[in-house]
Amino acid sequence: MNGGPAAGGGHVVIRPRSAVAALVAAAALGLAAGRFVLPPPPGATAHPAARSGAAADGASQGASAPATPGGSVPTPASSASGSGSASPTGATGATGATGATGPVTTANLLGPAAFGPDLGIGQIHVTDRYGDGSYANAACAGEKTLSQTLGGPGAHFRGLMTSPRTSPDDPTVAADSGGQVAREVAADARSPSLAQNYSERLLLEEVPCQEQAPGHWVYGKTTTLQLAPDVTARWMGVYQGSLNTTGSAPEGKEPCGGIAVLRSGNHYGVLEVHACLGTAAMDRVVRTALSQL
């Protein structure tokens, strides 16, 4: 579907979630261009396809967190508080942290506090589940489940929403299209090297969205945050179709949310931010998610 994040009265500004079946081919190596050579699968065979977005066992309602009331505006929220912008072509912000070990739990998932009151989102409701399901809804790449891409076991899914009303198919998806603030999926691999393999393959699924026909929403260039050698996030902002006049993201414009692929030790995950956040705010939220993973 053409177009990008749309503003709704009193709703968080989000991108469209319609899926178009266009799968991804392996791309040439080069982080600056946002391209990675697909690592060979670690001997795992993909599970049979699950119904996209279907809820898995273990769904549970989480706590709500208050923030300053107020609807979001069409322009991106950009708070630089607590973070610095990373270079689009290199890793920044190494702190000497160490990568995660052991299984992922809900404590490793992003919480409402990451979207502070300065962003004006209001109260955020959290819902968790464990299982399989879609990890992104990129209209340029088609919707796939985590097991279809990686062939791995179940993962933790978390939805952050402005309303407690959720989809009957997946409790981590908001029932109202404008109600999704963010959605995260995270799991653990058998080793840090396998987690790195998984994160690169997940990123490769989204990279083609950096080039789309004019008028279609598009991802911007890849930004890398690195807190330690094995604690890394790579994220891309999303731009509305009205800003895509050349087939790629415009220079000098702020994104409106985006997507991040996270990896810490043997943990890996994908974070979609549907709230209309600019570069500084996206950097802060992604940094928080990476630190928590």
Side-chain angles (χ1 to χ4, degrees):
M1 181 171 64
N2 289 346
H11 291 297
V12 176
V13 182
I14 65 167
R15 335 184 239 104
R17 301 181 60 85
S18 62
V20 175
L23 299 181
V24 180
L29 179 66
L31 180 58
R35 296 293 195 267
F36 291 86
V37 174
L38 180 65
T45 301
H47 293 173
R51 183 166 64 90
S52 180
D57 293 340
S60 62
Q61 290 289 341
S64 301
T68 301
S72 60
V73 295
T75 54
S78 57
S79 168
S81 170
S83 73
S85 297
S87 166
T89 58
T92 65
T95 63
T98 57
T101 59
V104 170
T105 70
T106 55
N108 297 117
L109 302 178
L110 188 69
F115 300 89
D118 53 314
L119 299 184
I121 292 175
Q123 188 177 42
I124 296 177
H125 302 266
V126 176
T127 305
D128 295 326
R129 70 174 179 85
Y130 182 85
D132 190 21
S134 61
Y135 58 89
N137 291 306
C140 70
E143 184 177 276
K144 297 173 69 175
T145 68
L146 198 65
S147 66
Q148 284 176 309
T149 299
L150 302 179
H156 289 273
F157 287 75
R158 168 164 289 182
L160 297 100
M161 297 157 282
T162 58
S163 168
R165 296 182 62 246
T166 64
S167 166
D169 294 327
D170 188 333
T172 66
V173 176
D176 302 320
S177 60
Q180 198 84 36
V181 176
R183 188 166 177 264
E184 184 178 14
V185 53
D188 54 90
R190 293 188 301 271
S191 67
S193 61
L194 186 57
Q196 181 179 5
N197 177 288
Y198 283 173
S199 67
E200 291 183 359
R201 292 166 65 189
L202 289 167
L203 183 64
L204 185 62
E205 291 286 315
E206 309 302 328
V207 162
C209 304
Q210 291 176 320
E211 297 178 359
Q212 289 294 298
H216 191 287
W217 69 264
V218 66
Y219 284 143
K221 56 190 174 183
T222 304
T223 295
T224 299
L225 298 177
Q226 186 169 19
L227 304 186
D230 60 347
V231 183
T232 304
R234 289 166 291 186
W235 68 270
M236 298 173 284
V238 68
Y239 294 81
Q240 299 181 43
S242 60
L243 297 177
N244 174 14
T245 60
T246 63
S248 60
E251 293 291 339
K253 299 291 186 180
E254 284 292 297
C256 187
I259 190 168
V261 177
L262 315 169
R263 183 242 169 169
S264 176
N266 70 321
H267 293 182
Y268 64 94
V270 176
L271 172 67
E272 276 194 295
V273 177
H274 297 257
C276 192
L277 305 187
T279 301
M282 275 293 297
D283 183 271
R284 185 184 74 180
V285 169
V286 172
R287 190 182 297 270
T288 300
L290 179 61
S291 300
Q292 198 155 336
L293 184 65

